């Protein structure tokens, strides 16, 4: 009998982070800067100009652990870089109540293609549903600063582009617009965006 795997929208509805899901597209602004003086990370604003998510690495760039937080400093994910001689791999652990509530099993895993492959290869993400099931998606680069996060069958989950003012002025490589499609866990998308930033910007 063929197993039926849930869609990303079903996964989001069953997720404990249901408050990070919207029934309509949501637009965020990503500033690849930390709010902490001499810190490394990024700050994410919602469409109202309020801080929605932030990453602050206080010690140094390229740390083995990165924490995705909300405005209040509550840790949503701990993202851990796993050592690999050729390919990079990151695991995201959901934190329901700070570090004490960290799940022992990763909620998502992102694999970086081997550097021996020529040209840009998509980053693949595997999201755990339960002990026996997972959902896959990938990050497809569309230009130097733009990329799409799509399901394995090609459905659009989110898109990142360079941000421009209403008059068309380019705000630079470190200011981006993120649009998350309806019924998709925005915190999960942010976890994938953080991993992509770790690869590209060496946060």
């Amino acid at each position: 009998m063929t197993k039926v795997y849930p869609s990303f929208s079903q996964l989001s509805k069953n997720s404990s982070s249901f408050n990070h899901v919207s029934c309509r597209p949501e637009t965020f602004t990503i500033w690849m800067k930390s709010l902490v003086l001499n810190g490394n990370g990024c700050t994410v604003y919602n469409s109202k100009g309020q801080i929605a998510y932030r990453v602050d690495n206080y010690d140094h760039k390229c740390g083995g652990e990165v924490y995705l937080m909300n405005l209040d400093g509550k840790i949503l994910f701990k993202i851990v870089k796993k050592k690999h001689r050729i390919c990079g791999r990151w695991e995201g652990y959901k934190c329901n109540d700070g570090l004490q509530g960290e799940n022992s099993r990763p909620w998502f895993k992102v694999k970086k293609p081997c550097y021996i492959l020529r040209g840009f290869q998509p980053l693949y993400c595997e999201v755990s549903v339960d002990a026996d099931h997972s959902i896959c998606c990938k990050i497809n680069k569309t230009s130097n600063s733009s990329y799409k996060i799509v399901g394995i069958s090609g459905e659009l989950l989110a898109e990142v582009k360079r941000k421009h003012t209403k008059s068309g002025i380019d705000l630079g490589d470190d200011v981006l617009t993120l649009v998350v499609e309806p019924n998709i866990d925005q915190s999960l998308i942010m976890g994938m965006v953080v991993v992509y930033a770790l690869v590209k910007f060496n946060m």
Side-chain angles (χ1 to χ4, degrees):
M1 181 177 178
T2 303
K3 292 183 178 180
V4 178
Y5 293 89
S7 65
F8 268 94
S9 59
Q10 290 173 316
L11 172 63
S12 297
K13 290 177 181 178
N14 294 332
S15 168
S16 61
S17 52
F18 183 70
N19 58 326
H20 297 279
V21 177
S22 173
C23 61
R24 55 185 151 185
E26 290 288 336
T27 301
F28 300 90
T29 297
I30 304 173
W31 185 39
M32 300 305 302
K33 297 289 184 182
S34 169
L35 294 178
V36 178
L37 183 64
N38 297 323
N40 300 293
C42 66
T43 308
V44 182
Y45 300 86
N46 61 23
S47 57
K48 298 178 180 178
Q50 303 166 328
I51 296 175
Y53 304 100
R54 60 190 178 97
V55 174
D56 296 307
N57 294 346
Y58 300 97
D59 297 328
H60 51 78
K61 287 188 175 185
C62 305
E65 295 183 359
V66 175
Y67 300 95
L68 174 66
M69 299 175 283
N70 63 11
L71 173 60
D72 298 325
K74 179 182 178 181
I75 298 173
L76 305 177
F77 290 121
K78 180 177 79 171
I79 300 174
V80 181
K81 183 177 182 180
K82 297 295 184 178
K83 293 183 178 180
H84 197 287
R85 289 184 301 174
I86 300 177
C87 305
R89 184 164 62 89
W90 289 261
E91 294 181 351
Y93 294 84
K94 190 182 294 186
C95 301
N96 297 319
D97 185 23
L99 291 179
Q100 286 71 29
E102 175 191 328
N103 293 344
S104 59
R105 188 167 175 268
W107 194 48
F108 67 87
K109 302 175 184 179
V110 180
K111 182 179 180 182
K112 180 183 178 182
C114 300
Y115 64 81
I116 57 175
L117 297 174
R118 293 184 178 181
F120 181 87
Q121 300 292 323
L123 275 69
Y124 282 90
C125 178
E126 181 180 286
V127 185
S128 299
V129 179
D130 53 42
D132 300 316
H133 301 93
S134 62
I135 295 174
C136 291
C137 60
K138 57 185 178 180
I139 300 177
N140 286 329
K141 181 178 178 181
T142 54
S143 69
N144 188 41
S145 299
S146 302
Y147 55 93
K148 294 180 180 181
I149 300 176
V150 298
I152 203 66
S153 59
E155 70 275 20
L156 180 65
L157 306 177
E159 185 171 8
V160 177
K161 295 181 179 180
R162 290 176 67 165
K163 188 175 181 66
H164 297 79
T165 65
K166 292 182 179 179
S167 59
I169 298 175
D170 189 340
L171 297 179
D173 286 340
D174 61 351
V175 184
L176 307 168
T177 295
L178 165 67
V179 179
V180 182
E181 293 299 304
N183 303 317
I184 302 298
D185 191 324
Q186 297 157 9
S187 65
L188 170 62
I189 296 297
M190 275 309 309
M192 296 183 64
V193 169
V194 169
V195 172
Y196 186 87
L198 289 170
V199 175
K200 181 175 175 59
F201 294 94
N202 293 321
M203 284 198 308

